[in-house]
Amino acid sequence: MQPGSAAETFLLPAQNSTVASSVDDLYMFIYYLSIVFFVIVIGGMFYFVAQYRRRPGGPKVKQISHNTALEIAWSVIPTILVIFIFLWGVRGFLDMSLAPKGATEIYVHASKWQWEFEDLDGNKSLSELVVPVNKPIKLIMSSNDVLHSFFVPNFRVKSDVVPGRYTTIWFEANKPGINQVFCTEYCGTGHSAMLATVKVLSEEDYMKWKKESDEGPTWGDEELAEKGAGLYKTKTCVACHSLDGSRLVGPSFKGLYGRTEEIEGGPSVEVDENYIRESINEPMAKIVKGYPGAMPTFKGLLKPREMDALVAYLKTVK
Ligand code: CUA
């Protein structure tokens, strides 16, 4: 195994970025150091409890109130250790803070409850960031509403995503594969569903993907509904729309197609393909009565065939 690419262990996630192994080295150093001191302190305590317990006839040792050499030792040794840990940590922190020159810049927009990625050419994607292996990627992140936090455990990078300002992190993935992204700042009902993935592709696969993603998927009609079921989860519809009729942030999808919805400040509509498409692209156009109108727009985030797939799937949710 080459350094910096260890697989997942019981203690730690896989090391899938260039900084992961150095983060883990410091972590394990602190971990084992803590074990050493735990044994010394707790072991010492048990030893003293047993050795100097109350015995008939009173204490057999003379009382000691002061030991200068011992006191200097237990002050100086931990001080040296924490300075050492600090310097080690600050070096790693600076490595992780300063993106290398020439890193590919990607904008990340967080909103309740989805992650949207946009490259400098204006290509957007929802919930999935696709990047090439062995290339530094810099994420410039901001939030459209509340505090979120972007965390990729396999990369050991994490940063709060704050409304009204940019925060940045960078990473360089060291092997192809899929890496889970979590939101790690409690941001409301859909917080736990605010997931995304970073898909790392080899240089060759990345070029192929780039070409295909410009064109969008070419799913056949027979698999549309099935693909739509997948999109319902990966495009985060699931965070706000239930399938079983229960009320979440938005109306349930149970029996959606063909039902008549009362619209806030307008005539009621029968849900058809066009209403579904409009509600995805312009959620504020026709808000169902009694709901908050909290949905972000998905305009530009779905390829034509993906829209078809979602519509086909929603028809099947009875
Ligand atoms: Cu976004 Cu928690």
Side-chain angles (χ1 to χ4, degrees):
M1 190 80 58
Q2 68 188 56
S5 71
E8 182 178 337
T9 64
F10 176 69
L11 272 182
L12 293 165
Q15 296 176 337
N16 290 356
S17 80
T18 50
V19 298
S21 68
S22 65
V23 171
D24 291 359
D25 289 347
L26 177 54
Y27 176 86
M28 294 314 292
F29 175 77
I30 295 172
Y31 178 79
Y32 286 118
L33 190 66
S34 303
I35 290 178
V36 168
F37 277 96
F38 176 85
V39 168
I40 293 172
V41 172
I42 303 298
M45 185 187 80
F46 279 112
Y47 172 76
F48 287 129
V49 163
Q51 184 67 20
Y52 301 111
R53 68 187 182 277
R54 183 192 288 221
R55 293 180 171 138
K60 293 201 173 70
V61 288
K62 76 173 184 357
Q63 294 291 317
I64 302 167
S65 69
H66 211 70
N67 186 317
T68 306
L70 196 60
E71 282 164 24
I72 289 174
W74 79 43
S75 301
V76 169
I77 292 172
T79 304
I80 291 171
L81 281 172
V82 293
I83 290 174
F84 179 68
I85 290 169
F86 170 77
L87 291 176
W88 191 346
V90 97
R91 205 185 59 178
F93 177 79
L94 290 177
D95 278 348
M96 294 169 75
S97 304
L98 305 171
K101 279 215 170 64
T104 305
E105 294 186 343
I106 309 260
Y107 282 85
V108 180
H109 310 291
S111 51
K112 294 192 285 184
W113 289 279
Q114 55 177 235
W115 296 105
E116 183 193 303
F117 305 98
E118 184 172 1
D119 68 18
L120 293 184
D121 298 327
N123 297 315
K124 292 180 181 177
S125 70
L126 193 62
S127 310
E128 185 184 66
L129 174 62
V130 180
V131 297
V133 73
N134 298 330
K135 287 265 184 336
I137 309 288
K138 181 179 178 184
L139 302 180
I140 304 168
M141 311 190 290
S142 64
S143 166
N144 296 330
D145 38 48
V146 299
L147 197 58
H148 302 275
S149 180
F150 189 87
F151 181 34
V152 194
N154 287 353
F155 294 167
R156 311 292 190 277
V157 298
K158 181 186 200 176
S159 170
D160 275 7
V161 182
V162 185
R165 64 183 289 185
Y166 290 116
T167 51
T168 61
I169 49 173
W170 76 277
F171 61 85
E172 182 177 326
N174 60 12
K175 64 155 127 9
I178 304 227
N179 302 281
Q180 183 67 54
V181 178
F182 294 102
C183 177
T184 46
E185 196 71 67
Y186 183 67
C187 55
T189 323
H191 162 71
S192 60
M194 192 169 166
L195 302 170
T197 50
V198 179
K199 191 178 190 178
V200 181
L201 298 177
S202 67
E203 185 68 36
E204 185 189 335
D205 287 345
Y206 181 75
M207 297 317 279
K208 217 159 78 192
W209 169 84
K210 191 101 185 106
K211 189 166 168 293
E212 278 166 16
S213 78
D214 288 344
E215 290 158 8
T218 51
W219 298 322
D221 286 349
E222 67 292 341
E223 54 176 349
L224 266 190
E226 184 194 325
K227 295 293 182 187
L231 295 173
Y232 165 74
K233 294 198 189 92
T234 57
K235 301 293 178 185
T236 63
C237 318
V238 58
C240 301
H241 300 279
S242 77
L243 297 177
D244 60 3
S246 57
R247 187 190 165 114
L248 301 178
V249 178
S252 176
F253 284 160
K254 186 183 160 88
L256 175 72
Y257 188 76
R259 93 175 159 220
T260 304
E261 296 280 31
E262 294 207 23
I263 299 301
E264 209 70 68
S268 52
V269 295
E270 191 185 312
V271 177
D272 60 5
E273 288 87 348
N274 278 321
Y275 177 69
I276 294 174
R277 168 194 281 269
E278 181 186 56
S279 299
I280 291 172
N281 281 334
E282 291 166 52
M284 297 305 131
K286 296 191 181 79
I287 296 165
V288 176
K289 210 165 233 166
Y291 286 90
M295 178 166 156
T297 176
F298 284 68
K299 204 168 203 159
L301 295 174
L302 296 172
K303 298 288 175 188
R305 210 50 182 154
E306 291 178 325
M307 180 67 85
D308 295 346
L310 266 176
V311 170
Y313 170 63
L314 291 180
K315 285 183 182 176
T316 69
V317 183
K318 294 281 193 296

